[in-house]
Amino acid sequence: QGHHSQPFEIEQLCSKLVGMNIKIVCVGKLKEKYFKDAIAEYKKRLNRFAKVSIVQVPDEKAPEKFSAAEDEKVKEIEGQRILSKIKDKEYVYVTAIKGKQRSSEEFAKEIQDLATYGHSDITFVIGGSLGTSDAVNKRGDDLISFGKLTMPHQLMRVVLIEQIYRAFMINS
């Protein structure tokens, strides 16, 4: 027994990680070429480890001066569009400032644990400029935060896909 079984266990784990499907559901179109290029690069690198898809849903136009009720309405409409792209079996992380912050190593371990326990479909949600609706947050299995800084949701896509890539690199 001893350490002879280790290569086999590592192989098994790698095959579980490789069979993963990572989906990023986000609101709005990505216009900036430099963001698109960065995402394409990380997506290419991630292809060694997992099947990665990025699903964009249309954003709801919102004037600058909106009431709280109108904000909620926009988030609800965007939320319905997001939820329509999520299947029951998917493990869902919703990015939120109120979410739990993790180190890259903790995040990598979570991804590894999810794979180990049979969650091969992991979905990440990035809401629109107003954030995500209550319904989306409730559907989330976990809320994840990348710090207290507010950043453009287009940039958030780059940060998120880079951290997913980093998690797979740490695990490999």
Side-chain angles (χ1 to χ4, degrees), residues 114-129:
L114 286 170
T116 303
Y117 298 108
H119 290 286
S120 57
D121 298 286
I122 302 178
T123 296
F124 294 87
V125 172
I126 302 172
S129 49

Side-chain angles (χ1 to χ4, degrees), residues 7-8 33 42-43 59 77 109 114 131-132 140 144 148 154 164:
F8 177 67
K33 187 183 184 305
Y42 284 115
K43 199 175 164 193
D59 54 346
I77 294 166
K109 185 174 180 338
L114 286 170
T132 46
I144 188 169
K148 291 189 166 75
Q154 292 91 336
I164 295 168

Side-chain angles (χ1 to χ4, degrees), residues 54-110:
I54 296 174
V55 179
Q56 299 183 126
V57 299
D59 54 346
E60 197 54 25
K61 290 290 160 267
E64 286 300 304
K65 301 260 189 294
F66 241 36
S67 71
E70 288 169 316
D71 277 358
E72 283 309 307
K73 186 87 188 117
V74 167
K75 287 200 292 193
E76 255 170 55
I77 294 166
E78 290 176 348
Q80 286 164 0
R81 291 173 185 161
I82 290 166
L83 291 169
S84 74
K85 303 297 180 189
I86 300 173
K87 295 184 180 74
D88 288 346
K89 66 175 180 167
E90 293 169 15
Y91 188 93
V92 178
Y93 280 100
V94 178
T95 60
I97 286 183
K98 292 188 189 88
K100 183 182 154 208
Q101 293 186 44
R102 307 135 160 93
S103 68
S104 296
E105 290 72 20
E106 288 167 334
F107 182 51
K109 185 174 180 338
E110 276 182 32

Side-chain angles (χ1 to χ4, degrees), residues 1-15:
Q1 166 94 8
H3 56 267
H4 294 294
S5 65
Q6 200 157 19
F8 177 67
E9 283 169 11
I10 290 168
E11 248 171 64
Q12 270 191 317
L13 178 66
C14 284
S15 70

Side-chain angles (χ1 to χ4, degrees), residues 18 26 46 56 118 121 134 153 155 161:
V18 168
C26 33
L46 264 165
Q56 299 183 126
D121 298 286
D134 288 342
H153 53 288
L155 178 59
I161 199 166

